[in-house]
Amino acid sequence: VDVRSVQPDGDGLAFCRSLPERAGVVAIPTVVFYDPAHAHLGRHLVRFAFCKSDAVLGEAVERLRRLS
């Protein structure tokens, strides 16, 4: 997910660090999957896991909607 609409500086790592407190949801900054020389390419992207029940995912979606 591109976080720039809710994290104007595009810092996915900072977004992921603040997200649990802001919304009670966690995400993974994709920058951790990049070679350090190319990490800037994924700086604005984060990844969510969907291995949860539909009810839990629905609650997460509602919490994330409140961020925008």
Side-chain angles (χ1 to χ4, degrees):
V1 173
D2 187 333
V3 299
R4 291 178 285 193
S5 66
V6 291
Q7 181 81 23
D9 66 359
D11 188 341
L13 183 59
F15 175 80
C16 289
R17 285 185 172 150
S18 70
L19 193 56
E21 184 177 326
R22 292 172 61 194
V25 175
V26 296
I28 302 164
T30 60
V31 72
V32 302
F33 299 110
Y34 284 76
D35 178 286
H38 299 100
H40 65 282
L41 298 173
R43 183 175 183 272
H44 63 286
L45 301 172
V46 304
R47 180 178 175 172
F48 293 94
F50 296 98
C51 53
K52 301 289 182 183
S53 69
D54 288 344
V56 170
L57 291 173
E59 176 64 25
V61 169
E62 288 306 314
R63 291 177 183 192
L64 291 168
R65 271 195 187 124
R66 291 183 213 132
L67 292 179
S68 57

